[in-house]
Amino acid sequence: MGAVTAAASHAATEPGGPLVDFLTRPSSLWATISTEGLGWLGSHAPILAPCALGAAASGHALRRGLHRWREQRIAEGARCVEVLAPPSVAPRGAEVLWAQLAGLLRPWWRRLITGQPHLSFEFLWTPTGLSLRIWLPGTVPLGMVRRAVEAAWPGAHTRVTQPSPLLPHGHVTSAGRLRLARPDVLPLRTDHASDPLRPLLQAATGMGEDETACVQILARPATGTALRRARRQARRLKAGHTPARPVALAAFLLHRAQPAAASRQDPEHAVLVRQSATKLSGPQWQCALTYAATCGEDGERAEDVARGRAHALASAFGLYADRNYFARTRLRHPEPHLSARRFPSSRPALLSVAELAAIAHLPLDLDAPGLQRAGARSVLPPPPIPEPAPGNGVKPLGMADTGSRRGVGLSVPDARHHLHVMGATGSGKSTLIANLALDDVRNHRGVIVIDPKGDLVTDLLDRLPDTCADRLVLIDPDDTHTPPCLNVLDGTDIDVVVDNITGIFRRIFTAFWGPRTDDVMRAACLTLLKHRDRTQQLVTLADVPRLLGESSYRVRIIPALKDPVLRGFWAWYESMSEPSRAAVVGPVMNKLRAFLLRDFARRAIAAGSSTFDLRQVLDGGILLARLPKGALGEETARLLGSFIVAGAWQAAAARARTPENTRIDATLSIDEAHNFLTLPYPLEDMLAEARGYRLSMLLAHQHLAQLPRDLREGISANARNKIFFNASPEDAHALERHTLPTLAAHDLAHLGPYQAATHLLAGGAEATAFTLTTRSLPPPVPGRAKDLRAAAGARTGPRPATRH
């Protein structure tokens, strides 16, 4: 090395010597320097060679150790996000996802220390179906990825799981990797007429009980080195050099470089230049693709099955061949590589967003085999929806099922616009009704609950506070205590009482109730009520069969009648023969006797005067009517419930005599409401007037076919608060008009257990629809139901009847 320096100094200082030669023939000096330098290196080679090898080995070991430390750090706290596909997948949703996730690229100084995190998009097939997962390290924000998935594919659901091995232990496995066969700058095919995943999904169909398969796509935003390499390839391509980087001898023979001048003149070359420029124009991803198939059987058949399945998976990626294509390499020990999800240190494939989206996306076909579709989307409640708190006048409905899971409630003034609840059995209706009733009890509002099944009232009795015993009225055929009595012929307005009773019987027994039957029932009830007003004697519904069937009873009542119309009716009635009279009163008598022959129904309706006042119930009391159809019969349960609804409506209408600001809010909750809305006037008028009387009605049922047309239209228009649990597809299409545009028919038909689609009023104005989950009931108090039954029975047992 000293000789080289001396030669250079001599060339610079000797006038007219080698400097002149260097200026005129510079190669001569470099030849001298090179000769001297090589001679010096040759003489010191035995010393320098081991040093150079040691330095190279140390650098390689240091690099591998740094790479291993980065991978371990990236894998800490890793999670898997399982993606449930929406009913219809946006065709370009994957491009939106990967373009958004390109923001995970770290600054160069952070990549230098801790590396660049990567993601893993995974297809996993098992005998139970196909699952799609995105594995992400602990350094990647979980919420960001979940929101990106749900934004890219509206309606998709995500749920977080812990990472698990992709391949079962002990199975025969066949696996491989897919690499780009030509340089990265050349594009893959992305303009497919149909879903390019269709061959891949078909390749994994028909799996046995002991077979699995997976495709793993590791992806991370491309860093500067990979981009610079691709840009150099693009510049060489533009200069006329057709790139070729074969990975096999066959590829080497097929892809030979052409002369630059000929390439520049080729029209295909210009197209290739434009395609490569398009590929490099946006964000780039480095990707590593791995596939594997397993079989749990023993013997050669397991190897054949696994190898054939793996070959089918790899062949499905031939659909992406264009200027570039995937070449396969065998992976002998796939399990550690797949489960560890470590990004390979060798140069991965460079893909554009469009290319990566064409490979890693949700299947577009609605009939994708084995794919689990998402249920209803979760929609946050709008800001005007209030949150319940003690004493703030907001009834609790449940909790938001996404985001912060804040409480969701309905203010008492908005509840006066009534609440329509619909959903299949077991979907959560009873839990919602019970929570609302308990809140009303705690806040001393009036509560009436009509339960035709029985479980709802039982759950309430186990959870009511012990301080409400003096307000409770319990109607229960299974209660051993004397039931309270509601005399349906009580009432100051005779015409309203008669209209209610006659209307209830007419609507329940529509097929057997004609104009003559209606006339007989109306005349008998009016006669008894006028007799009561004249003599102040007690009359009940049990007196109607006596009036129609006993001539001696009629002789005591009819002569004192002043009403000429009623006197004319009874004159016609007495003029008929016994057979004709029996034919006229037969429909009334058999319906009344079938009802009154049931001991509980007779004691609850016709045992004497009323033992409780429904007006006091509306003013802060509690009435629980447990009317199981199995114990009472369907028609008897409907009649009892309808009489309670009619009495509650009469009590509410009586509030017209009190100032509005002194009326206490009350709620009439009716499960299986179509059985009990049998009053003789339109439901829409009843709902409109009830709001003024501060009576909120909660109408619950299972499906729309249960409602006659008039009830369906009345509830749809006038019960302005809607809560829909899981509905049938037919009902979902009819109900989506209340929840669009945020929730469509698919969402209503795929709601989960205790999840509901909700459309509420907030401050008197309609808010957008959203989803919620109902709150679970508080734990039952042991012995509470027994104590409350005893207290209610002692307080509301019937008084001795005053007969005549």
Side-chain angles (χ1 to χ4, degrees):
M1 187 62 71
V4 176
T5 305
S9 302
H10 178 73
T13 57
E14 186 69 21
L19 179 59
V20 176
D21 294 337
F22 171 71
L23 295 175
T24 56
R25 292 180 295 123
S27 59
S28 60
L29 179 61
W30 293 117
T32 303
I33 294 174
S34 300
T35 303
E36 294 290 340
L38 292 175
W40 183 87
L41 291 174
S43 62
H44 294 80
I47 301 175
L48 294 178
C51 295
L53 291 176
S58 300
H60 181 70
L62 181 62
R63 182 179 178 183
R64 286 182 61 87
L66 180 61
H67 177 75
R68 190 179 299 108
W69 176 80
R70 288 173 176 171
E71 292 294 332
Q72 291 177 353
R73 178 180 174 84
I74 287 175
E76 291 178 357
R79 295 89 75 206
C80 277
V81 176
E82 186 175 359
V83 182
L84 302 180
S88 59
V89 179
R92 302 180 67 88
E95 294 186 29
V96 175
L97 173 69
W98 294 112
Q100 183 176 356
L101 293 181
L104 295 175
L105 181 62
R106 288 180 168 181
W108 67 268
W109 54 271
R110 290 196 63 187
R111 296 198 307 269
L112 185 64
I113 300 173
T114 58
Q116 172 61 47
H118 61 276
L119 305 176
S120 177
F121 193 95
E122 300 169 350
F123 299 85
L124 178 61
W125 289 271
T126 62
T128 59
L130 166 64
S131 62
L132 303 177
R133 300 188 297 186
I134 300 178
W135 176 92
L136 60 152
T139 55
V140 174
L142 176 64
M144 170 189 173
V145 175
R146 297 185 69 178
R147 286 190 293 269
V149 170
E150 294 169 0
W153 294 295
H157 282 187
T158 58
R159 56 191 181 197
V160 181
T161 61
Q162 292 300 318
S164 59
L166 290 178
L167 303 179
H169 180 70
H171 283 201
V172 176
T173 305
S174 179
R177 279 181 174 165
L178 298 173
R179 304 178 186 271
L180 289 180
R182 305 189 68 191
D184 295 335
V185 71
L186 299 180
L188 294 169
R189 183 184 176 189
T190 59
D191 56 340
H192 299 90
S194 60
D195 187 4
L197 286 184
R198 187 178 297 175
L200 181 65
L201 300 178
Q202 194 63 35
T205 57
M207 301 183 67
E209 291 294 330
D210 53 354
E211 292 184 59
T212 62
C214 71
V215 172
Q216 183 185 77
I217 304 166
L218 300 176
R220 70 182 182 189
T223 57
T225 303
L227 294 178
R228 286 192 295 270
R229 184 188 304 116
R231 293 190 183 105
R232 285 197 301 268
Q233 294 174 357
R235 287 194 296 268
R236 288 178 54 82
L237 180 64
K238 187 176 181 179
H241 300 281
T242 302
R245 180 169 57 83
V247 296
L249 179 60
F252 175 75
L253 296 176
L254 290 175
H255 303 288
R256 295 181 178 178
Q258 300 177 358
S263 297
R264 284 195 297 268
Q265 297 174 1
D266 186 3
E268 285 294 321
H269 184 267
V271 174
L272 185 60
V273 171
R274 288 195 300 270
Q275 289 178 342
S276 63
T278 301
K279 173 176 180 176
L280 297 179
S281 61
Q284 305 294 306
W285 287 81
Q286 291 179 291
C287 302
L289 280 72
T290 308
Y291 62 92
T294 71
C295 183
E297 299 181 4
D298 297 328
E300 295 183 359
R301 182 183 179 279
E303 296 182 2
D304 293 340
V305 170
R307 188 184 306 112
R309 185 78 65 182
H311 179 75
L313 294 176
S315 300
F317 286 89
L319 198 64
Y320 301 96
D322 192 6
R323 302 290 183 177
N324 213 334
Y325 61 94
F326 287 111
R328 287 180 268 175
T329 59
R330 189 173 182 181
L331 186 62
R332 296 191 177 274
H333 302 287
E335 173 56 30
H337 299 279
L338 287 168
S339 296
R341 297 167 174 98
R342 293 179 179 174
F343 206 83
S345 56
S346 59
R347 191 168 70 182
L350 185 70
L351 301 180
S352 67
V353 168
E355 291 172 332
L356 178 56
I359 298 170
H361 65 266
L362 299 185
L364 302 179
D365 294 339
L366 295 178
D367 57 346
L371 179 64
Q372 183 180 0
R373 295 285 177 179
R377 72 186 73 182
S378 297
V379 181
L380 279 170
I385 298 298
E387 186 172 357
N392 71 341
V394 176
K395 299 184 177 184
L397 299 177
M399 300 176 64
D401 56 357
T402 185
S404 61
R405 295 189 61 81
R406 73 176 181 91
V408 175
L410 179 66
S411 67
V412 172
D414 290 327
R416 296 169 192 157
H417 291 271
H418 314 296
L419 178 60
H420 178 205
V421 180
M422 198 186 84
T425 301
S427 58
K429 299 192 306 295
S430 297
T431 302
L432 173 67
I433 298 172
N435 277 319
L436 291 173
L438 290 174
D439 182 75
D440 286 336
V441 170
R442 285 191 293 267
N443 291 276
H444 292 269
R445 307 184 194 106
V447 177
I448 300 177
V449 177
I450 299 176
D451 177 19
K453 298 175 182 177
D455 294 337
L456 173 58
V457 168
T458 301
D459 291 339
L460 285 173
L461 287 173
D462 288 332
R463 293 165 174 83
L464 286 174
D466 54 0
T467 57
C468 71
D470 59 338
R471 297 185 285 148
L472 177 62
V473 177
L474 178 62
I475 300 176
D476 184 359
D478 295 333
D479 193 2
T480 58
H481 301 88
T482 304
C485 181
L486 176 65
N487 187 355
V488 296
L489 290 184
D490 280 347
T492 56
D493 193 328
I494 294 178
D495 294 330
V496 172
V497 173
V498 173
D499 285 344
N500 286 341
I501 293 175
T502 307
I504 288 170
F505 274 91
R506 181 174 61 249
R507 299 195 65 166
I508 291 178
F509 302 105
T510 302
F512 312 100
W513 200 272
R516 180 176 293 180
T517 305
D518 195 86
D519 187 34
V520 171
M521 185 69 173
R522 186 178 298 275
C525 291
L526 277 172
T527 301
L528 290 174
L529 289 173
K530 289 183 178 294
H531 173 71
R532 180 203 65 184
D533 289 349
R534 187 181 70 254
T535 63
Q536 302 301 312
Q537 292 181 342
L538 176 68
V539 293
T540 68
L541 197 61
D543 293 323
V544 174
R546 292 184 62 196
L547 182 64
L548 295 176
E550 299 179 13
S551 58
S552 60
Y553 188 54
R554 292 195 298 273
V555 169
R556 294 168 51 190
I557 295 177
I558 294 173
L561 286 176
K562 304 295 184 183
D563 192 323
V565 178
L566 283 178
R567 291 181 65 89
F569 170 84
W570 290 113
W572 164 79
Y573 187 81
E574 294 292 348
S575 66
M576 290 189 295
S577 63
E578 287 295 333
S580 299
R581 191 181 302 160
V584 169
V585 301
V588 175
M589 296 292 280
N590 61 34
K591 302 299 181 297
L592 279 173
R593 284 173 179 164
F595 176 71
L596 294 172
L597 283 175
R598 293 185 177 270
D599 180 67
F600 176 80
R602 185 174 63 253
R603 290 190 296 161
I605 295 297
S609 59
S610 298
T611 59
F612 63 94
D613 190 349
L614 280 172
R615 289 174 296 182
Q616 294 180 1
V617 172
L618 296 183
D619 290 339
I622 307 166
L623 170 59
L624 303 182
R626 183 177 178 271
L627 308 175
K629 296 179 181 179
L632 295 173
E634 182 175 358
E635 292 179 351
T636 301
R638 292 184 65 185
L639 281 170
L640 284 174
S642 298
F643 288 144
I644 295 172
V645 172
W649 176 241
Q650 292 178 50
R655 288 183 164 191
R657 304 182 185 93
T658 61
E660 183 176 359
N661 58 352
T662 63
R663 300 169 189 168
I664 299 176
D665 280 278
T667 302
L668 172 60
S669 301
I670 310 175
D671 197 7
E672 304 294 340
H674 55 283
N675 291 316
F676 310 113
L677 297 178
T678 55
L679 300 186
Y681 25 84
L683 178 65
E684 55 268 22
D685 296 342
M686 179 179 175
L687 294 176
E689 295 178 23
R691 180 168 59 88
Y693 301 142
R694 296 198 175 182
L695 175 63
S696 306
M697 298 186 67
L698 189 158
L699 308 176
H701 62 104
Q702 295 178 11
H703 53 86
L704 290 176
Q706 294 173 319
L707 302 178
R709 182 182 180 87
D710 57 337
L711 285 181
R712 184 165 60 247
E713 293 178 353
I715 292 175
S716 176
N718 296 281
R720 299 179 62 189
N721 298 292
K722 315 284 185 182
I723 298 181
F724 302 136
F725 291 89
N726 191 24
S728 66
E730 294 79 10
D731 288 346
H733 283 286
L735 296 174
E736 68 174 353
R737 56 182 176 168
H738 296 293
T739 58
L740 287 173
T742 55
L743 295 169
H746 173 84
D747 301 304
L748 300 180
H750 292 82
L751 292 164
Y754 303 99
Q755 183 187 22
T758 310
H759 185 201
L760 302 178
L761 297 180
E766 293 188 357
T768 56
F770 61 95
T771 55
L772 60 80
T773 54
T774 57
R775 295 177 182 268
S776 59
L777 290 173
V781 180
R784 180 62 53 79
K786 181 178 179 181
D787 296 340
L788 290 177
R789 287 179 183 274
R795 191 173 62 84
T796 60
R799 296 186 295 270
T802 302
R803 305 303 298 171
H804 50 271

